[in-house]
Amino acid sequence: MSRFLKSALSALEPYTPGEQPRGEIKLIKLNTNESPFPPSAKVLEAIDRAEVEKLRLYSDPTCRDAVNAIAKMLGVESDQVVLGNGSDELLAFAFHGFCEKGAAFADITYGFYSVFADMFSVKANVIPLREDYSLAVEDYRDAEGTVFIANPNAPTGLCLPLSDIRILLEQNRERLVVVDEAYVDFGGESAIALLPEYDNLLVIRTMSKSRSLAGARVGFAIGNKDLIADMNAMRFSFNPYNINRLSLLAAEKAAEDVEYFEDCCRKIIENRAFLTEALRERGFTVLDSKTNFVFAKSTIGGKAYLDALRAKGILVRWFSSERLRDYVRITIGTREEMEELVRATDDILREANQ
């Protein structure tokens, strides 16, 4: 830490991203919830040499074509959508701009919430999940400040029904509720359906998971036009060219290819069911996931299972906190990758019992 860092940031604990391996060693990468499938063919066809040559020009600051495509995909108006450099940028804007009275979020949820609260000096009201990792909306009844809910939640994979989101919105119509739906396409119920009724709702989503564009860094927020105007004001005050030309084009084409999106989601849901059943048959505790990952507790301990899989060329994610340390989070990959994980697990369990 240099002597120039402001004192308010001296105790900042940065978000820890999952390992991104480099080099020639072939690993099965199931640790960062990326899609196992390539982007839509429409994306690959659109990004040609002519488009690459246009990188000498700034991108469209209004993101018009991508915004229009996403709005059409969601069945909302274009002035209800704003794009960000990944959903993380939009979450940062929400913490920076909408949390004058603080922020409330779960103790076990997306790790960036606590980081952004510290970064922007937002008073955090951390509300514990229940013993079974479920989120009880009644625990938020008297919470002041903006509420942030990851739904489905990470890393647990559990999902609230739309009726619970409605309860959160009704608890205090003067309190903003931000619903982070990064994983909603894998079996969750989107709160976008509630937007016509509630002006205290902001939904944040991403192209990273279900549309295979993690490396493009495109997120989007949906809300009433006044909230979106606020988000755009912050975006233009920070970086009006926040998304590059190729990512905007990729987002537009990915939004248009509904058939491919639905096929990828279907395969991931099927592979999740396969892995969940296989692990439970082997004595694992696996939470009921509505995401592109499962949260699983083995009989040999979370860290031991992580290390044993790593030795066999398979990366998963482990969290060291007391409430999570017995579990690992496993991204859902292709069927072949899931079958390889099961075979490796059988070997690990057999070796542990020798």
Side-chain angles (χ1 to χ4, degrees):
M1 181 175 62
S2 78
R3 66 183 187 279
F4 302 108
L5 184 68
K6 63 189 293 185
S7 59
L9 298 181
S10 62
L12 194 65
E13 295 186 16
Y15 174 78
T16 303
E19 179 184 355
Q20 295 289 343
R22 298 172 64 90
E24 298 180 357
I25 299 176
K26 178 65 175 177
L27 297 169
I28 297 177
K29 192 172 182 298
L30 306 175
N31 64 327
T32 49
N33 300 341
E34 297 145 322
S35 174
F37 306 115
S40 159
K42 293 184 178 181
V43 173
L44 303 179
E45 292 167 3
I47 300 178
D48 56 17
R49 183 181 180 88
E51 292 296 335
V52 172
E53 289 178 350
K54 292 178 185 178
L55 286 175
R56 64 187 177 83
L57 304 172
Y58 285 114
S59 57
D60 174 13
T62 70
C63 308
R64 180 183 59 189
D65 292 341
V67 163
N68 289 344
I70 290 171
K72 182 179 179 180
M73 173 186 78
L74 299 174
V76 299
E77 298 299 320
S78 293
D79 60 3
Q80 292 182 269
V81 178
V82 59
L83 266 60
N85 194 280
S87 59
D88 292 334
E89 183 178 58
L90 298 169
L91 286 166
F93 288 157
F95 270 89
H96 187 50
F98 299 139
C99 294
E100 194 169 21
K101 296 182 179 179
F105 49 85
D107 63 332
I108 298 173
T109 190
Y110 185 35
F112 248 131
Y113 299 164
S114 59
V115 174
F116 286 147
D118 290 341
M119 175 72 79
F120 299 115
S121 299
V122 171
K123 181 181 178 182
N125 180 8
V126 180
I127 300 175
L129 297 180
R130 297 296 175 91
E131 188 67 26
D132 62 355
Y133 300 108
S134 64
L135 186 149
V137 292
E138 57 266 29
D139 294 343
Y140 289 75
R141 183 170 302 280
D142 298 321
E144 293 186 353
T146 298
V147 173
F148 289 83
I149 299 289
N151 195 45
N153 196 19
T156 66
L158 299 179
C159 189
L160 293 174
L162 203 58
S163 57
D164 277 0
I165 301 299
R166 184 185 293 275
I167 291 171
L168 282 170
L169 293 163
E170 289 283 359
Q171 285 172 351
N172 183 352
R173 294 295 293 263
E174 298 304 311
R175 183 185 68 184
L176 180 65
V177 176
V178 178
V179 183
D180 181 355
E181 293 186 345
Y183 300 100
V184 75
D185 293 320
F186 303 106
E189 194 174 10
S190 178
I192 291 174
L194 300 177
L195 285 172
E197 301 176 61
Y198 297 97
D199 64 356
N200 60 325
L201 170 63
L202 182 68
V203 179
I204 295 181
R205 297 178 69 175
T206 180
M207 288 276 184
S208 294
K209 314 300 182 183
S210 58
R211 288 178 170 82
S212 305
L213 293 179
R217 310 309 303 130
V218 181
F220 50 101
I222 315 97
N224 70 72
K225 64 180 182 179
D226 292 334
L227 271 176
I228 297 306
D230 291 340
M231 296 285 280
N232 267 316
M234 287 185 278
R235 184 172 70 89
F236 273 80
S237 299
F238 178 70
N239 179 11
Y241 306 109
N242 62 330
I243 305 175
N244 72 74
R245 298 180 67 92
L246 299 184
S247 290
L248 285 175
L249 184 58
E252 176 190 352
K253 298 306 178 182
E256 292 173 351
D257 198 345
V258 176
E259 183 178 356
Y260 182 71
F261 153 76
E262 291 178 345
D263 185 56
C264 289
C265 289
R266 176 186 56 79
K267 290 176 181 175
I268 289 172
I269 291 170
E270 290 174 354
N271 293 346
R272 183 183 69 203
F274 165 79
L275 181 62
T276 298
E277 181 180 3
L279 291 178
R280 286 175 175 168
E281 287 175 350
R282 288 156 175 80
F284 282 62
T285 298
V286 184
L287 302 190
D288 292 323
S289 175
K290 295 294 185 182
T291 65
N292 68 338
F293 60 84
V294 296
F295 201 51
K297 182 170 70 171
S298 74
T299 56
I300 65 171
K303 184 63 164 59
Y305 186 48
L306 169 91
D307 292 340
L309 285 174
R310 184 68 168 80
K312 295 181 180 297
I314 301 175
L315 298 182
V316 298
R317 190 78 189 268
W318 176 72
F319 302 88
S320 61
S321 66
E322 185 63 30
R323 292 190 70 186
L324 302 179
R325 58 185 299 112
D326 292 335
Y327 286 78
V328 297
R329 191 193 68 193
I330 306 170
T331 302
I332 301 302
T334 63
R335 179 57 66 93
E336 292 75 19
E337 289 172 333
M338 299 297 92
E339 291 173 349
E340 181 60 30
L341 174 71
V342 172
R343 285 192 292 269
T345 298
D346 284 338
D347 290 343
I348 291 166
L349 295 177
R350 184 166 52 251
E351 292 163 5
N353 291 326
Q354 287 178 351

